[in-house]
Amino acid sequence: MMKKTYAALALSVVLSVSAQNALAEQVKNVVLVHGAFADGSSWGPVATILDNAGYKVSIVQEPQTSLADDVAATRRILAQQHGKTLLVGHSYGGMTISDAGNDPAVAGLVYVAAFEPDTGETLLSLAGKIPPASKSVAETADHFLYLKPENFQADFAADLPKKQTDMMARSQVMPAAAAFSAPAGSPAWRTKPSWAVVATEDRAINPELERYMAKRAHSTLVEIKGSHAIYASQPEKVAALIKEAAQSLSH
C-alpha cells in the first residue's frame, strides 16, 4: 500500500513538472514594431485582439533616428519579456526585427508588409529591386523623410477612412534618411521560423518584392487583400496569423 502511495506521489510530481515545463514553453509574449511614417498606436486594433486572446503584448516606439537606434529600442523591450517572444514588424520594422530577432528570447518572426533583408542589404537597395507604385516620399532640409500628406491615404492606407488617414498623416513619424541606407546585419530569419503577410494592394512596398523576400527567407506566406497599412485595415486577419505563428512555436 505504501509503495503504491509513493508511486502515485512520484507520478503526480512528474506530471506537475511536465505541465509547468509545457506552460513555460508556450509563446505568449508578442512584441510589435511599427514601420516608417506611423507610430506604435497604429497597432492598437491588433494589440486588442491579441490581448483578448490571452497574449502579453508590448509595442516598441522606435526613435527612427537610425537603424541601430531602432534595433536598440526593440532589444530594450525584449529584455522586459519573461519567456519566449514572437517578434512582429511592419514595413521598415522588418529591417529592425531581422536584427533584433537574433536575441535568444525570440522564438520566431512575423513580417507584415515588411522588408526582410539579407546581410548587407539596405531598405533602399531592396526597394530598388522591384520599385513601389508610390513616389510620394519627400526629404526635409535636415535629411528626414515623410510621406506627402496629400498622398498619404492613397499610398499608405487607401482602405482606411480619410478622417483616420488625415490624422495619421499629421502625426506621422519621420525616419532619418540614413536609416533607409543602413546595411542589415545577419538576419534572424536565417536561423528562426518566420511568417510573412503580403498586402496585395500595397503601394509603399511592391507586393512582388514582398513575395520575393518571403520566398527567399522561407517564410510561411499569407496574402491579404489590402493596402500597406494592412495591420490597421485588416487587424483580424493579421492577428490570426500572429496567433497561428505563436501556437506553432509553442511545444
Side-chain angles (χ1 to χ4, degrees):
M1 184 70 173
M2 187 69 72
K3 288 182 179 180
K4 288 184 179 180
T5 301
Y6 284 145
L9 181 61
L11 179 60
S12 175
V13 170
V14 168
L15 291 175
S16 176
V17 170
S18 297
Q20 289 175 6
N21 288 339
L23 184 62
E25 292 178 357
Q26 296 294 307
V27 175
K28 284 296 185 180
N29 301 316
V30 177
V31 172
L32 305 172
V33 182
H34 66 82
F37 315 124
D39 67 11
S41 66
S42 56
W43 278 111
V46 169
T48 298
I49 294 169
L50 295 175
D51 284 340
N52 292 337
Y55 291 91
K56 177 183 178 292
V57 182
S58 302
I59 301 174
V60 180
Q61 289 283 25
E62 305 132 278
Q64 300 202 347
T65 44
S66 72
L67 179 57
D69 288 346
D70 297 334
V71 171
T74 303
R75 288 178 174 156
R76 201 171 297 126
I77 299 301
L78 288 172
Q80 297 176 359
Q81 310 305 307
H82 299 285
K84 294 196 295 185
T85 298
L86 182 62
L87 190 55
V88 183
H90 172 251
S91 191
Y92 162 78
M95 301 291 296
T96 305
I97 70 170
S98 291
D99 188 327
N102 289 305
D103 187 291
V106 175
L109 308 100
V110 179
Y111 294 87
V112 180
F115 289 96
E116 296 185 63
D118 204 347
T119 308
E121 291 180 332
T122 69
L123 184 151
L124 291 178
S125 70
L126 278 170
K129 287 181 182 292
I130 310 176
S134 171
K135 307 294 181 188
S136 56
V137 176
E139 186 170 347
T140 65
D142 59 345
H143 308 299
F144 281 75
L145 305 175
Y146 66 97
L147 270 177
K148 295 175 184 177
E150 63 269 25
N151 301 115
F152 194 96
Q153 184 183 44
D155 286 345
F156 192 89
D159 45 5
L160 288 176
K162 191 172 187 303
K163 183 177 181 181
Q164 182 177 352
T165 59
D166 284 349
M167 180 59 70
M168 292 173 72
R170 283 191 283 174
S171 61
Q172 63 179 288
V173 177
M174 294 185 181
F180 281 20
S181 57
S186 181
W189 55 255
R190 285 197 172 278
T191 58
K192 298 180 180 183
S194 62
W195 290 256
V197 172
V198 169
T200 62
E201 298 179 357
D202 200 329
R203 289 179 55 83
I205 303 176
N206 194 306
E208 286 300 324
L209 179 61
E210 293 174 16
R211 294 184 185 101
Y212 162 77
M213 293 184 291
K215 182 178 179 181
R216 180 180 65 176
H218 302 291
S219 302
T220 299
L221 180 62
V222 171
E223 299 206 4
I224 303 175
K225 184 179 180 180
S227 73
H228 187 58
I230 196 75
Y231 66 114
S233 64
Q234 302 278 348
E236 297 86 359
K237 292 180 180 179
V238 171
L241 179 63
I242 293 172
K243 289 189 286 185
E244 180 182 314
Q247 290 163 7
S248 73
L249 292 168
S250 300
H251 53 78

